[in-house]
């Protein structure tokens, strides 16, 4: 999911006020995760979605435009009630409870301030929770450390630390992967020893780009939950980085290589004393086998594998 | 990993000597080859004009890593003035194989970092 604050930043380019719809509950169908957001700008411009295909978004827009004319929030229920489609079995018949509230897009807006505070606290590396209560059109939010601390009847959102993706080697695959990972809401860190590749201009806005000794630059990021992807395709960086990364509590380690070269890297590390259980953590060849050859296609297969690993799907390993 | 390197390069690349960071280095200098991306860091601990410890870190090719490993072995207990006199030809000779001209820089990169470190010790 795209980061809330990134979405606010994008909205500020064209809007002064928006109505924000937050998915509180869903019955039936294939809903987005609770907490999903749809922003409605003046004139009906949209960002985000509270349903998979946008099937109820048009209904939300009507409420949003109405609420934008005032200052009060509303809890509404919207259902997919296309009777003909339901009878044909072509509609899911889902029903959604939503909080729709007007936001001014400045930092003083209470909702934006609350999400900013939660995001800042989660960046320390642990989950925080945002508890929202709605009373007679008034919305109150409080950032709490434990879900159990939420006030009675509150809607609670878990604000997880952004998934960190460390990319070693500022190759064209890295450029495409950084772009996709940013869309997926990840915090992207790119490191390379080569200053002509690791430039801010080559990477999407918000990517952290570092030049220096790669094995040292990655060390602070080798933490629980991080993913490390080596796209340098060069043992001079791969070996020093893998010596640390394979012993660190990271979620995922993958290396761009054919099977033969990957096995040679494993053999060399094994010869140095790297334990087999650590070597078994290395995903190489990397990416789901979708047959792509272009940098963007390879990046897509890697991004898909990162999601599969996060969701513990069996296809996560080749 | 099946590059046609000689036994000396392979031995020092697979089992590099003194590849670590010193706890209390007197001087540290980095070498960088922008053409290939090799990076090497030389660290020296110096007492009474002698190198009492030398270590390196490399994110570099096999030849450069082997060269740094061999150089640090050679530096232990050596007077800084003598260390400064180690020549490019000395290191190329120590590698013990005929290298293409384009790879000589891989051998000499650690030596370049060493010379900068030694210069920092005794500014002119």
């Amino acid at each position: 999911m795209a980061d809330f604050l990134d979405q606010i930043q994008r909205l500020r380019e064209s809007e002064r006020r928006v109505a924000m719809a937050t998915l509180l509950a869903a019955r039936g169908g294939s809903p987005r995760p609770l907490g999903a957001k749809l922003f409605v700008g003046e004139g009906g411009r949209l960002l985000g979605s509270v349903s998979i295909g946008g099937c109820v978004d048009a209904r939300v827009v009507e409420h949003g435009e109405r609420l934008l004319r005032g200052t009060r929030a509303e809890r509404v229920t919207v259902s997919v009630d296309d009777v003909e489609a339901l009878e044909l079995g072509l509609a899911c018949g889902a029903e959604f409870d939503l909080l729709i509230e007007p936001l001014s897009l400045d930092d003083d807006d209470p909702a934006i301030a609350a999400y900013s505070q939660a995001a800042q606290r989660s960046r320390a590396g642990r989950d925080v929770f945002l508890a929202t209560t709605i009373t007679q059109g008034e919305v109150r939010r409080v950032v709490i450390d434990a879900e159990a601390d939420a006030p009675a009847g509150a809607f609670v959102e878990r604000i997880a630390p952004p998934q960190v993706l460390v990319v070693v080697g500022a190759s064209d695959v890295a450029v495409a992967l950084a772009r996709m990972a940013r869309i997926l809401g990840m915090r992207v860190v790119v490191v390379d020893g080569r200053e002509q590749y690791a430039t801010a201009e080559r990477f999407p806005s918000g990517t952290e780009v570092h030049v220096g000794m790669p094995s040292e630059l990655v060390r602070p990021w080798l933490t629980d939950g991080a993913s490390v992807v080596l796209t340098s395709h060069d043992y001079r960086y791969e070996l020093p980085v893998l010596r640390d990364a394979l012993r660190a509590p990271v979620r995922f380690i993958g290396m761009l290589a054919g099977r033969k070269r990957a096995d040679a890297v494993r053999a060399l590390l094994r010869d140095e004393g790297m334990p087999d259980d650590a070597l078994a953590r290395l995903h190489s060849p990397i990416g789901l086998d979708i047959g792509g050859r272009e940098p963007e296609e390879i990046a897509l297969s890697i991004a898909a594998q990162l999601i599969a690993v996060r969701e513990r799907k069996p296809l996560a390993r080749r | 990993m099946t590059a046609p390197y000689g036994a000396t390069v392979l031995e020092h690349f697979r089992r590099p000597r003194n590849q670590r960071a010193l706890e209390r280095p007197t001087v540290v200098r980095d070498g960088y080859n922008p053409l290939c991306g090799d990076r090497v860091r030389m660290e020296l601990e110096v007492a009474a004009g002698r190198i009492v410890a030398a270590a390196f870190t490399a994110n570099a090719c096999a030849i450069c890593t082997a060269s740094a490993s061999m150089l640090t072995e050679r530096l232990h207990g050596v007077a800084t003035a003598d260390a400064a006199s180690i020549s490019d030809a000395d290191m190329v000779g120590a590698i013990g194989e005929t290298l293409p001209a384009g790879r000589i820089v891989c051998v000499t990169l650690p030596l370049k970092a060493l010379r900068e470190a030694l210069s920092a010790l005794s500014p002119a």
Side-chain angles (χ1 to χ4, degrees):
Chain A
M1 188 181 85
D3 180 71
F4 173 85
L5 296 176
D6 282 349
Q7 289 179 309
I8 293 296
Q9 205 55 43
R10 282 180 60 190
L11 288 165
R12 282 173 173 160
E13 292 169 11
S14 58
E15 310 291 340
R16 287 175 54 246
R17 293 182 82 227
V18 292
M20 177 172 78
T22 301
L23 181 61
L24 303 176
R27 292 170 290 281
S30 303
R32 299 272 327 272
L34 299 186
K37 294 196 166 33
L38 168 65
F39 298 91
V40 182
E42 286 165 343
R45 286 183 290 266
L46 300 179
L47 181 66
S49 177
V50 290
S51 59
I52 287 289
C55 52
V56 300
D57 291 353
R59 304 282 304 278
V60 177
V61 170
E62 293 169 18
H63 288 290
E65 288 185 320
R66 177 174 57 79
L67 290 167
L68 260 181
R69 292 194 284 272
T71 57
R72 295 179 74 77
E74 219 170 82
R75 183 180 176 127
V76 300
T77 297
V78 177
S79 54
V80 179
D81 54 3
D82 181 334
V83 175
E84 188 179 324
L86 280 171
E87 283 181 358
L88 291 168
L90 299 175
C92 59
E95 197 171 62
F96 301 83
D97 293 339
L98 301 150
L99 167 63
I100 306 179
E101 58 191 309
L103 304 187
S104 66
L105 288 172
D106 53 53
D107 290 337
D108 295 335
D109 182 275
I112 294 174
Y115 279 100
S116 298
Q117 187 193 357
Q120 197 170 355
R121 280 171 60 173
S122 76
R123 282 206 161 215
R126 60 187 174 78
D127 291 354
V128 296
F129 299 87
L130 191 59
T132 303
T133 50
I134 311 135
T135 312
Q136 295 178 340
E138 295 292 328
V139 179
R140 290 184 191 280
R141 287 186 170 85
V142 58
V143 181
I144 51 180
D145 290 324
E147 197 169 2
D149 296 339
F155 173 69
V156 181
E157 289 172 85
R158 185 170 69 95
I159 310 293
Q163 188 182 343
V164 175
L165 172 63
V166 183
V167 184
V168 180
S171 61
D172 284 355
V173 172
V175 173
L177 180 60
R179 197 173 297 143
M180 291 174 196
R182 290 289 296 152
I183 291 169
L184 293 168
M186 297 182 197
R187 181 177 181 183
V188 182
V189 180
V190 175
V191 306
D192 202 311
R194 302 165 301 172
E195 53 200 15
Q196 68 271 42
Y197 283 87
T199 63
E201 294 73 31
R202 280 169 52 81
F203 287 89
S205 162
T207 307
E208 298 167 50
V209 182
H210 302 282
V211 184
M213 190 87 76
S215 61
E216 295 185 350
L217 293 173
V218 301
R219 212 164 279 150
W221 302 100
L222 299 180
T223 54
D224 194 16
S227 297
V228 180
V229 171
L230 296 105
T231 68
S232 62
H233 211 260
D234 189 333
Y235 72 89
R236 82 188 67 206
Y237 298 156
E238 291 164 345
L239 293 169
V241 169
L242 288 172
R243 284 180 189 120
D244 286 340
L246 288 171
R247 291 185 164 99
V250 295
R251 173 188 286 166
F252 175 91
I253 310 166
M255 180 178 73
L256 193 62
R259 204 168 294 281
K260 186 177 170 189
R261 200 174 75 81
D263 286 344
V265 168
R266 286 190 187 95
L268 202 142
L269 291 169
R270 186 178 291 113
D271 187 46
E272 290 180 2
M274 183 69 74
D276 282 342
D277 59 343
L279 287 169
R281 299 177 60 216
L282 177 62
H283 292 260
S284 190
I286 192 173
L288 303 187
D289 190 3
I290 58 173
R293 288 175 176 272
E294 295 297 326
E296 294 78 8
E297 296 169 342
I298 295 167
L300 177 64
S301 76
I302 297 170
Q305 188 177 32
L306 292 174
I307 295 168
V309 167
R310 185 193 68 198
E311 298 299 322
R312 296 187 170 88
K313 293 291 181 185
L315 48 65
R317 183 166 281 281
R318 281 166 78 166
Chain B
M1 299 308 128
T2 54
Y5 298 130
T8 306
V9 168
L10 277 182
E11 165 63 18
H12 279 268
F13 176 61
R14 288 177 182 274
R15 277 168 283 278
R17 280 62 153 178
N18 307 306
Q19 183 170 242
R20 59 193 167 92
L22 295 180
E23 276 187 30
R24 283 179 291 278
T26 311
V27 64
V28 178
R29 282 294 182 275
D30 285 1
Y32 169 51
N33 180 350
L35 294 177
C36 65
D38 275 352
R39 286 189 179 265
V40 65
R41 173 170 302 148
M42 299 296 292
E43 303 188 20
L44 304 176
E45 188 177 340
V46 177
R50 289 196 174 273
I51 297 169
V52 296
F56 79 100
T57 306
N59 283 199
C61 69
I63 293 173
C64 184
T65 303
S67 175
S69 170
M70 294 167 71
L71 183 59
T72 54
E73 275 197 316
R74 190 168 174 165
L75 292 174
H76 284 281
V78 170
T80 54
D82 293 336
S85 69
I86 299 171
S87 69
D88 289 1
D90 289 338
M91 288 310 300
V92 172
I95 288 288
E97 54 189 286
T98 306
L99 296 171
R103 302 303 301 275
I104 300 298
V105 69
C106 306
V107 180
T108 58
L109 186 64
L111 195 54
K112 185 166 170 257
L114 171 69
R115 288 177 186 141
E116 288 181 12
L118 293 169
S119 296
L121 280 176
S122 52

